[in-house]
Amino acid sequence: MWWTAKRLKWMSLALCFSLSAIFGWSTEISAQDAKPASPKTQPWTLEGALKHLQMYPNDAYLQYVAMQLANRQGLETEVSRKISAITNAGRPEWQRRQDGVNLFSLFSGTLAIQESLQLEAMAGAPINPRQPRDAGLQLPKLKDKPDVAVNSLRGPKTKSHPWKEMLGDKEHQMSVMAHYVPEDQYYIRFQSVSKLMDVLKLNDDWGEHLISQSSRKAYTTQVSDRIMSQLAVETSDLMKPFYDLVVQEVVATGSDLYLTRGSDVALLFRFKQPVVFKAQMEAFLVDSAKAHTNAVRGKGKYQGVNYESLIAPDRRVHVFSAYLGDEVHVRSNTLIGLQRVIDTIQDDGDNVGEIRSLAESDEFAYIRTLMPPEAKEEDGFIYLSDPLIRRLTGPELKLTERRRVLCYNHLRMISHACAMFETEFGKPPKTIDDLFDEECVPSRFND
């Protein structure tokens, strides 16, 4: 054994000398070489970032790195135009950013908007500002006016069908759950949770695939998984026997359709076996609290209704739950969403809730004469009322969504800045001030 070790020792030394001769390695270490390397390695260069963008023009992180490096050199205007040319190259005319960013589109792509907003924010001005058709037209300057409350703005008042006349004396069936849903929210009802889970799985299997193919983006939004995680509701196939046993019907509702960007969603369960159902719902909360160790459980009361909450800072779980009477349980990912459901059923002395419900709507009653809720053909039912459509097209929601998108852009920019900082310094930043001091963000956020 000693001879083997000795031979290996000499063989190792010989190999080191051979490699030194071949590659020119030196066995002497100068004092200068002994100094620790600078923590800032500068892995990105402006030229390199632009070259990568030629290959991956829709990469928002590469766009961010190129613009931030340009900002350091005072070349943001020139580089922003190069990036705009790269990202628009090869796109059909209708997809190009000739008219700026439309923040009020209902079904526009979030990431495409974020890329444009990021480019405009880092360039200091819109890249493609809207221009009047007539070059000689002089637009009047707006005079200083006081702020206007958003809820005072009025949207379109398109006249509805004469629902009351159309309903007449027709008999109609009405699900109990329609009494819990505000008239101006969407209504998605399934007679069983298993059917709802099948639809969600179908959406995951095909919907996300079709979206990624049409948008040419290799990502998935995972909306259903994210929402169920927020609500602390498990939807694995193993839970189907439980739901089939104790749940009579389930309803999903919310105030708008911007689900991919984040919106309020409430699930309402009408259950049969209170003991079994409540035990399982509590188990969901306990399991979610264990999975999110920074989540905090709490309690509250609204309009005489007790509710519980489980909230994590990153909102991966963010649920407010309550029992409404002896057969309905509601879980919402916002407190306001829960409160709107409670206000819909809350008595004010006239046997009418503070918020008008779908069950009180002649429009919904007429539709149910055509499509009765107990029909065998109905596995699921999705309804968008006239008040919801007016809300979706009204100024209050449009301005709210605009603020969401701007906030989303800032959060994505901060995320890109953190990644850029870590590639340069080998460690994550501790504060936004670190990002600003090392020129990883174009300006201080939230000043």
Side-chain angles (χ1 to χ4, degrees):
M1 293 295 296
W2 181 84
W3 284 103
T4 303
K6 187 174 181 180
R7 288 192 185 97
L8 288 174
K9 178 180 178 181
W10 284 107
M11 287 174 64
S12 299
L13 289 174
L15 179 60
C16 289
F17 282 119
S18 300
L19 291 174
S20 298
I22 294 172
F23 295 105
W25 292 353
S26 174
T27 56
E28 296 182 2
I29 301 178
S30 64
Q32 183 177 0
D33 295 332
K35 291 181 180 179
S38 173
K40 191 168 184 177
T41 58
Q42 186 69 24
W44 283 108
T45 65
L46 179 56
E47 182 182 2
L50 291 174
K51 283 184 178 180
H52 277 77
L53 267 178
Q54 294 285 352
M55 296 183 288
Y56 308 102
N58 297 322
D59 192 314
Y61 174 65
L62 284 176
Q63 295 174 21
Y64 181 91
V65 170
M67 277 303 303
Q68 188 55 32
L69 293 173
N71 282 331
R72 291 177 181 178
Q73 302 176 31
L75 301 174
E76 56 269 22
T77 301
E78 177 186 348
V79 172
S80 65
R81 297 192 182 281
K82 287 184 179 181
I83 294 176
S84 183
I86 292 172
T87 54
N88 282 323
R91 293 189 182 186
E93 185 66 28
W94 62 272
Q95 282 187 341
R96 297 183 184 179
R97 301 169 180 164
Q98 299 301 320
D99 292 326
V101 184
N102 182 6
L103 297 184
F104 300 101
S105 176
L106 181 61
F107 298 109
S108 55
T110 303
L111 291 186
I113 288 181
Q114 190 270 323
E115 291 173 17
S116 298
L117 288 175
Q118 175 176 278
L119 193 58
E120 292 183 359
M122 301 185 76
I127 304 303
N128 296 307
R130 294 180 180 271
Q131 299 294 336
R133 293 178 182 271
D134 185 355
L137 178 63
Q138 297 296 323
L139 298 178
K141 294 183 178 180
L142 297 177
K143 296 180 180 179
D144 292 335
K145 293 184 178 181
D147 293 337
V148 177
V150 174
N151 58 11
S152 69
L153 300 176
R154 295 293 174 260
K157 292 294 182 181
T158 306
K159 188 176 181 180
S160 297
H161 291 293
W163 298 114
K164 189 171 184 178
E165 297 176 14
M166 295 168 65
L167 177 61
D169 297 329
K170 294 183 178 69
E171 295 184 1
H172 61 275
Q173 297 175 331
M174 190 71 67
S175 167
V176 172
M177 305 299 274
H179 294 270
Y180 293 82
V181 177
E183 183 186 26
D184 61 349
Q185 295 192 176
Y186 61 81
Y187 176 82
I188 303 175
R189 174 185 178 268
F190 283 84
Q191 294 188 20
S192 72
V193 179
S194 294
K195 294 293 184 183
L196 173 60
M197 293 166 61
D198 291 341
V199 171
L200 293 178
K201 186 177 186 304
L202 183 66
N203 175 70
D204 291 339
D205 291 345
W206 288 100
E208 297 289 358
H209 173 71
L210 293 175
I211 290 174
S212 64
Q213 290 295 314
S214 61
S215 62
R216 296 186 298 174
K217 300 283 188 180
Y219 68 91
T220 174
T221 54
Q222 297 180 328
V223 175
S224 59
D225 290 342
R226 172 168 52 81
I227 291 175
M228 291 303 176
S229 176
Q230 279 190 319
L231 297 176
V233 174
E234 188 177 334
T235 55
S236 67
D237 289 340
L238 295 176
M239 296 306 303
K240 281 187 176 181
F242 159 74
Y243 288 122
D244 292 338
L245 177 67
V246 301
V247 177
Q248 287 182 276
E249 57 182 324
V250 59
V251 166
T253 184
S255 61
D256 64 63
L257 302 176
Y258 296 106
L259 298 178
T260 57
R261 303 176 195 175
S263 181
D264 64 298
V265 177
L267 279 183
L268 294 98
F269 300 90
R270 185 181 174 202
F271 53 88
K272 294 183 268 187
Q273 301 184 30
V275 176
V276 178
F277 180 85
K278 292 181 179 181
Q280 186 60 68
M281 290 295 111
E282 174 63 21
F284 286 160
L285 290 175
V286 171
D287 292 343
S288 184
K290 291 179 179 178
H292 303 86
T293 55
N294 56 351
V296 177
R297 293 196 67 168
K299 294 183 178 181
K301 194 170 187 177
Y302 178 74
Q303 299 278 49
V305 177
N306 295 315
Y307 66 85
E308 295 187 7
S309 63
L310 179 64
I311 300 173
D314 59 6
R315 292 202 174 207
R316 291 184 184 275
V317 58
H318 197 267
V319 57
F320 299 85
S321 62
Y323 286 91
L324 309 177
D326 298 328
E327 60 176 1
V328 175
H329 177 66
V330 58
R331 291 198 171 191
S332 174
N333 61 355
T334 68
L335 179 58
I336 293 177
L338 175 67
Q339 291 172 345
R340 281 182 61 81
V341 172
I342 294 175
D343 286 337
T344 303
I345 63 169
Q346 198 66 287
D347 244 337
D348 63 359
D350 298 324
N351 296 320
V352 177
E354 296 180 13
I355 296 178
R356 183 179 170 88
S357 70
L358 272 177
E360 302 171 74
S361 165
D362 293 329
E363 170 192 351
F364 189 71
Y366 173 75
I367 296 299
R368 274 315 194 182
T369 64
L370 306 177
M371 303 176 182
E374 301 305 325
K376 294 181 179 179
E377 298 84 2
E378 182 178 304
D379 290 330
F381 182 78
I382 301 176
Y383 192 73
L384 310 180
S385 65
D386 280 357
L388 172 63
I389 299 301
R390 293 192 187 98
R391 175 178 170 78
L392 292 176
T393 57
E396 184 173 358
L397 182 57
K398 291 293 187 181
L399 291 172
T400 299
E401 175 59 13
R402 178 183 182 276
R403 291 169 179 167
R404 286 181 189 166
V405 176
L406 291 173
C407 179
Y408 172 77
N409 174 55
H410 288 167
L411 292 173
R412 285 296 297 262
M413 290 176 66
I414 293 173
S415 175
H416 294 333
C418 290
M420 185 177 180
F421 184 97
E422 194 159 359
T423 59
E424 291 188 337
F425 296 94
K427 61 180 180 180
K430 294 182 178 180
T431 66
I432 292 183
D433 286 338
D434 291 344
L435 299 176
F436 181 78
D437 293 341
E438 299 299 338
E439 297 183 309
C440 289
V441 286
S443 61
R444 293 184 186 273
F445 286 91
N446 293 334
D447 270 358

